[in-house]
Each structure stands twice: as structure tokens, then as C-alpha cells.
Amino acid sequence: MRRASLHVLCLFAVALAIAACATTRGAELEPRYVALHNAFAAMGLAQVGPLQRGSLAEGREMRFPVELTADCTTIALFGGQGVRDLDATLLDAGGAVVARDATKDPQAVLRACVDAPGTYTLHVKMASGAGEFMTASWTGGPSAGPRTGGASSALATLSGTGTCDSPIALSPGSFTGSTSRGESEHEGSCSSSTSREVVYRFELTARKRVTIDVNPHFDSVIYLRKDDCTDPDTEIACNDDAPHEHDSHLDEELEPGVYFLFVDGYSSESGTFKLNVVMNDVPTLEEVCQSARVLSTGLVTSGSTRGLYDHVRSSGCGDTAKGPDTPYRFDLARRSRVRIVERSSDFSTVLYVRRRCTDAKSEIACADAGFHDGEATFAGMLEPGSYTVVADATDREADGSYSLFAEVGPENGQAGTPGDTCADASPLGNLDASAAGDTFLARDDLSVRCGGTGTPDVVYRLEVAKRSRIVAQLDHQEGSHVLALRKSCADVSTEFACSASIDRTVEPGVYYLIVDGDPTFGLGRFSFAFRMREVAGQENACRAPKLLANGQTAKGTTAGGSDKFVASCAGSYDGQASPDAVYRIVVPSRGRVRLNVTGTGFSPVLALRRSCLDGTGGAPEVACNADASSNRAHIDTTLDAGTYFAVIDGQGRGNQGAYALEYVFSAAPKTR
């Protein structure tokens, strides 16, 4: 029969003693058992046999049968409140002593390595004090001395009580635990909790990806804090109900430091749980950059963020690009136009370009949007050299597939782009339309007043038969563009509007709408909405609209009239075709204006405008109100002194009828 060395015995005795000292005087036994069980499991020990309990008065004894295998077995005993000295002796079938605890503490540890398996007897004596105690057995672990790497200190740390003052040390592996005996002092940001929590501690000396899963018998919440266990502001992650309703899951890339994991319960729930911890090394940015794939032009490059890490962040867009990322090497032989598109239907894409892979300060461009949804596009001019293109994501949890497509064009563009010159300007229709184009390969033929020098442009031609209001606005684009409206295509002196949107009233004639790049990265695809509307009817209505006096109610009908105005709350622009009427009101001083309209047989729309005519500069509408389910509309607002216009319109098409419009004004109180 072999006995464990004194060194090994002291290893477990010291660990158990430190665990007991960390436990407050009134603590229960279960958290100490869970802590010790997790500690032994982390060292490679496996529990065998049942967990046994007992209670003794001072001087009394108790015996338990213990099944031992031909292996090393560790038996731990710890007493509850009132226990001062707990003695333990292990006897063989003949009554000979196999192992004995000689310490004078409320806990005891025995370590026995036997040659023959069989039933042995554990003799427990309450040498001093009285109360409950608990005992359990584990097999495995060191047989003649500690394993490598300071096992005693690790075990001592692991044997905490599950509070911030005495956290249970955490290592990779699977553990069991319970929150029912913990404390209720903390709460995570993702869920309210009044239940008890258990606190674990782990320390990282290198960057790692840490995955933690809790499979509970209650509705769990887990959260992670860094450096300061008691400070809620140090929380870096919190999860409730993932991947299932009661489970909790964290998957974080963590920098070196000390971390505290809280296993808590939603609301007041508590109970037992299984905890699984995985810690994987994260490759360094230098290693990732060295193995970066080459991004070729003209080919679709596919990739996936699954299992990747967040190595780099953007300083320019995409909420710093917190998702997993992949750098690519992009080589350019000569100064060229470059367009790179990242596409994904699984996550929000972010694409940025660096001069040097490992240098965040070398970022020269960042994009988190493109011509279509799910795209991030860089389109600009690059000097010759080697670059790093990073395919990234906005969200940390980005998980899915993506593609990259890169193309290169001549520095000065090339002939053949639709609408590239005034001579081959693309025609625009006379009604509402949507147009799309691409300046990536266009040449720089024109210079507009609000655009950039040297940026490519394309031209559209429109014929205006009657005095009309022209409205054009960019909606989707790569790079950044502006619109310019001219009477003569090549003559900048005839340009009377230049911006991202245009709203002008023009006389009959031929006009040119130019799409040019702005001074930054003005390359790529674009689209704009275009509307042209004759204004003769509106001008006639605005020559002498009826004046409404304070307190007056005007009655009339829109039936049989014409459609002259567009109201923002009357449905889509294209879908509005209801007759309307307009009134003038004069506000004598700053005050409260109330307008109420009641329709008969139709649902009215009420709009208040600062100018009667469209296209006279600025947005004419001040307020708009409509309720398609009723026959009333109202506006109640405060206005400065001036002349305003009230328009009664109908929702959508053909909505018309009789109405009564009431106007009430009350001056604002004077201030001293």
C-alpha cells in the first residue's frame, strides 16, 4: 500500500485552508463545495462517489464507507459555522490507518494512493466546536508531487466563495455551480435582477477569444467586468437569453488583464447551472498582415467572417468597425481610379484602405455605404504602391459571408461613358423619372461651381415646354456627387443652381443637368430622382388667394378644381392628384396660429406654407396634417409675423369635396 507524499498532501491542505479563510463566518457549505469541485476539475481531478453530509456535537464521531480505486484519491472535509477543529482518518478493511489529517482547523484533507481497490472507512471526529460538515472524494491529479506551474497557488485562488471579495477563479473547461447561495449585490446592464449571483475571476496575459456558455435550470444572465469587480461602469459585455430563452452566451476578444464573470438570474430567479469556458489564442495583427491574401482586380473574391477576430478598427466610419475583419493586400502599378466593393447580405459592411496594414494612422479612406443596400464602396484615386484593404463589419456579432470586387480605371477616364460630353448628353423625360449613371470611367469635361476640379462628370438634357418647376435630388451613390443646372451646357455663367439637390422654376427651353464629383472622392455609380411640373395653375392660384381674417371660417369646395400643390402628408409625390384650394393669412406679430378644416364626403389635408409658389428658394411648407380615417385636419403652431398660405388638399388621387376652414390667431404674451 502506497501513501501520498507530504508535499502533495500539503498542496491540497493549503488550498482548502485558503478557501476556508476566504469564506465568511456565516457562509453556507454549498458554495465552498462548488468552488473546491471546480478547482479540482481544473487540475484534472474527477469526483467519485456521493457527496456526504453530517452533523456532530463536540467530541462525537461518525464513520462513512469510502470506495477507493487503485489510484490516488483526495478526500476533502469542511465544516460549517461553529466547527473549530475537524479531524479525519482513513482506515483500511483491517482498521489500519491509511491517511490522517493532523491539522487543527474546521476543514481537513486526506490524500491516499492505494495499491488495492476496495471499501475503506472514513473516520470523522468533531475535535472542537459543533455543527454541520460535508465530505467528497476526487481521483486523479498529482501522485507524488505537484504538476507543473504552481498548482497550489492556482488551487488556492480557485477555491473562492463566489463574491467580489472572494471570487472563484475560472479556467477553460466545464463546471457546475449554483446561484442559490450567492449574494445579491450586483446587476448587469442587459437585464434587471434582484437575485443572487456568483462571481468568477480569470486573468489573461495575452489577447484571447473567450467563449462562455451557461446552461442553467433557471433564466440566467451573465456579464463581464474588467479590473474592478464592484464597479458597474467597468462592464464590457452582458447577455440574457442567448442562444435560447434561458441560456446565456458571451463571445469576446479580450485584451490582457483581470476579468470578473457574474452568473446571475433574471429578476429573482436562481438555481444550478453548467458553465462551459473556452479560451483560444488570437493571432497578432502582425501575423494576420503577413498572411494577407492578394486582392486581384476584375475577379470576385469571396470570404467569411465566421471564426475570425476583430484585429483592426476604422477611425473614419462604420462606428469604428467592431466586427471580425480580414485584411487584403492590394498592389497598384500606376496612379489610377480604383473602385472596391464589399457586399454581404448577412451583416453591415465596412471597407477601409490603409497604406500600411499594422498602422491605424495610415488609413486614407473608409466606407460603410454603397450604391445598393448591403454594400460598402471605396471609389477614388490612388497613387502607385501597395495598400491594405480591410473587409470589416459594423457589429461585433457579424457572422456570415461577404464578397469583394476591385476594378481599376485610367487616371483621366476613357471615352464611351453614356452622357460623357455635352454632345452626347442623355435625355431626361418631361415627367417624373429616376435616372442612374456612373462617373467611374467618365472624363472631366466640365467644371461646376460647387464641384471639384479634375473630377469626372456626366450630362443629361431636358426640354421644358412650359414654365415648370424642376426638382432633382441624389439618393444613392458611390463616392460623392453634386448636381448643377445650366441653360448652356458648356457655359458655367449660365449655371443657376448647384448642390446635392435642385429645386428651381424655369422658363420654357432646353436645359442641362450635370452630375459632377465633389472635391473629395467624386467617383462611382449614382442615381437621382427627377420631377418636372408645370406651374401655370399654381401661379394663377397664388396671384390673389383669398385672405382669411382672424376668427373667420371660410367655406368652399375642391370638387371640380385642379391639382396645383403637393403636400408632404398627402401621400407619395407620384400618387398625389387631388384638387386643392389656397388661402392667405397675415400674422400681425409672433403668436399662436390655429387652423381647422372639416371636410364633407372626403378626408382633407391641411398644409401651411411660408410661400405660395414652389421653387422660390427653401422649403415652402411649415406644417402639414392629415388623417385618412377622419374628415378633419388641424394645425396648431407658433409663427413669427408675416404672410402665410393655407392649402386644403386631398389624400392621394381624386379625393375632393366641400370644406369649412377656421382660422384663429392669438398674440404671444409680451416679455419684459
Side-chain angles (χ1 to χ4, degrees):
M1 183 177 298
R2 296 178 288 116
R3 298 195 180 185
S5 70
L6 180 60
H7 183 91
V8 177
L9 190 60
C10 290
L11 166 67
F12 295 107
V14 171
L16 189 57
I18 295 176
C21 290
T23 306
T24 58
R25 174 66 65 179
E28 298 292 334
L29 297 175
E30 284 83 353
R32 294 169 61 191
Y33 159 71
V34 171
L36 195 62
H37 174 81
N38 290 344
F40 285 164
M43 295 185 67
L45 282 73
Q47 185 176 344
V48 293
L51 179 66
Q52 302 188 85
R53 297 172 178 267
S55 180
L56 290 171
E58 187 169 285
R60 303 303 296 268
E61 302 175 356
M62 187 175 291
R63 294 173 181 262
F64 297 95
V66 178
E67 296 292 332
L68 298 185
T69 62
D71 199 352
C72 293
T73 302
T74 301
I75 303 173
L77 303 91
F78 36 95
Q81 185 176 2
V83 176
R84 294 190 296 274
D85 183 9
L86 193 64
D87 288 344
T89 304
L90 186 65
L91 307 174
D92 65 13
V97 175
V98 177
R100 174 180 288 140
D101 172 74
T103 61
K104 296 186 181 298
D105 296 305
Q107 59 274 334
V109 61
L110 303 175
R111 178 74 168 170
C113 300
V114 300
D115 296 322
T119 302
Y120 293 75
T121 300
L122 178 64
H123 180 201
V124 181
K125 181 178 180 180
M126 188 68 64
S128 179
E132 292 184 325
F133 67 90
M134 185 180 292
T135 177
S137 302
W138 289 264
T139 62
S143 58
R147 293 185 180 182
T148 59
S152 61
S153 60
L155 182 56
T157 305
L158 280 163
S159 300
T161 60
T163 66
C164 277
D165 291 334
S166 179
I168 302 169
L170 195 63
S171 60
S174 298
F175 313 99
T176 59
S178 173
T179 63
S180 60
R181 302 292 184 177
E183 295 183 352
S184 180
E185 294 184 348
H186 302 277
E187 183 178 76
S189 63
C190 60
S191 181
S192 96
S193 174
T194 58
S195 65
R196 301 173 183 268
E197 73 276 341
V198 177
V199 185
Y200 295 86
R201 177 189 183 276
F202 63 95
E203 184 172 359
L204 301 179
T205 58
R207 191 180 187 209
K208 288 185 179 290
R209 181 172 189 169
V210 178
T211 305
I212 301 171
D213 287 283
V214 174
N215 180 233
H217 292 281
F218 61 101
D219 193 351
S220 66
V221 178
I222 58 175
Y223 40 102
L224 193 64
R225 295 177 183 173
K226 187 175 188 292
D227 296 330
D228 190 341
C229 183
T230 60
D231 185 0
D233 291 337
T234 65
E235 181 183 291
I236 60 174
C238 184
N239 180 260
D240 177 30
D241 296 343
H244 305 294
E245 180 180 359
H246 292 158
D247 296 350
S248 298
H249 172 82
L250 291 179
D251 188 349
E252 300 290 328
E253 294 171 33
L254 303 178
E255 300 297 331
V258 176
Y259 295 86
F260 298 90
L261 173 70
F262 294 75
V263 180
D264 208 338
Y266 174 77
S267 186
S268 60
E269 296 199 27
S270 63
T272 59
F273 59 87
K274 291 182 180 179
L275 180 64
N276 188 65
V277 181
V278 177
M279 297 183 184
N280 291 322
D281 292 333
V282 177
T284 65
L285 177 57
E286 290 76 9
E287 292 171 338
V288 173
C289 289
Q290 289 173 2
S291 61
R293 297 165 58 188
V294 174
L295 181 62
S296 301
T297 59
L299 299 175
V300 176
T301 300
S302 299
S304 173
T305 62
R306 295 182 180 94
L308 299 183
Y309 303 96
D310 179 23
H311 294 288
V312 291
R313 295 285 178 91
S314 169
S315 60
C317 67
D319 194 22
T320 72
K322 300 181 179 67
D325 45 57
T326 304
Y328 292 82
R329 197 183 83 221
F330 181 73
D331 299 320
L332 196 61
R334 61 186 59 85
R335 190 172 193 267
S336 306
R337 299 180 184 184
V338 176
R339 173 160 55 194
I340 306 172
V341 181
E342 179 187 7
R343 296 186 179 96
S344 177
S345 58
D346 296 329
F347 55 85
S348 298
T349 52
V350 182
L351 180 78
Y352 43 104
V353 181
R354 290 182 173 184
R355 293 191 182 274
R356 292 173 296 279
C357 184
T358 58
D359 185 4
K361 294 181 180 179
S362 70
E363 181 179 306
I364 60 175
C366 180
D368 56 9
F371 187 69
H372 294 295
D373 292 341
E375 289 184 352
T377 302
F378 162 76
M381 195 79 69
L382 291 181
E383 300 296 330
S386 183
Y387 296 85
T388 295
V389 175
V390 182
D392 210 329
T394 301
D395 303 323
R396 289 189 305 174
E397 293 78 17
D399 186 7
S401 301
Y402 66 89
S403 67
L404 286 176
F405 182 78
E407 58 183 314
V408 174
E411 176 184 356
N412 297 317
Q414 64 186 39
T417 300
D420 192 24
T421 66
C422 293
D424 61 356
S426 301
L428 279 175
N430 294 329
L431 301 175
D432 300 342
S434 178
D438 192 350
T439 60
F440 182 68
L441 294 177
R443 295 171 298 185
D444 180 30
D445 302 298
L446 302 170
S447 178
V448 300
R449 288 173 176 168
C450 62
T453 302
T455 54
D457 45 67
V458 294
V459 185
Y460 294 85
R461 183 178 185 273
L462 57 147
E463 296 183 3
V464 181
K466 296 181 180 180
R467 181 174 167 83
S468 300
R469 178 191 178 193
I470 295 175
V471 178
Q473 183 171 3
L474 290 162
D475 44 22
H476 300 287
Q477 57 181 323
E478 299 170 334
S480 182
H481 300 85
V482 293
L483 301 172
L485 186 63
R486 290 180 181 176
K487 187 69 175 69
S488 176
C489 180
D491 187 356
V492 69
S493 67
T494 66
E495 185 175 296
F496 49 88
C498 188
S499 179
S501 62
I502 289 175
D503 187 347
R504 300 287 295 194
T505 299
V506 299
E507 300 297 330
V510 176
Y511 293 85
Y512 295 89
L513 184 66
I514 302 167
V515 182
D516 202 350
D518 79 354
T520 54
F521 294 100
L523 292 172
R525 293 174 292 174
F526 63 84
S527 66
F528 62 88
F530 172 77
R531 301 189 294 268
M532 187 163 62
R533 188 184 184 100
E534 294 180 8
V535 297
Q538 188 180 92
E539 289 178 334
N540 290 334
C542 289
R543 283 195 180 97
K546 294 180 181 179
L547 176 66
L548 274 178
N550 184 17
Q552 179 183 355
T553 298
K555 295 184 178 181
T557 182
T558 61
S562 61
D563 179 25
K564 304 171 288 294
F565 297 91
V566 174
S568 64
C569 60
S572 67
Y573 184 94
D574 298 341
Q576 293 187 45
S578 294
D580 43 53
V582 61
Y583 290 84
R584 177 168 56 97
I585 62 174
V586 177
V587 178
S589 62
R590 181 173 175 80
R592 181 183 180 187
V593 171
R594 285 172 288 175
L595 293 164
N596 297 284
V597 62
T598 303
T600 301
F602 81 112
S603 298
V605 173
L606 181 61
L608 182 62
R609 300 163 63 98
R610 59 172 55 89
S611 63
C612 189
L613 289 174
D614 293 328
T616 56
E621 195 174 270
V622 176
C624 190
N625 179 258
D627 184 355
S629 63
S630 74
N631 65 339
R632 296 177 180 273
H634 71 280
I635 291 174
D636 189 339
T637 188
T638 299
L639 298 176
D640 291 325
T643 300
Y644 298 85
F645 301 88
V647 175
I648 299 102
D649 206 338
Q651 190 83 23
R653 295 179 178 272
N655 203 348
Q656 57 189 324
Y659 61 83
L661 174 63
E662 178 189 17
Y663 165 55
V664 177
F665 168 77
S666 56
K670 293 183 179 181
T671 58
R672 294 182 179 180

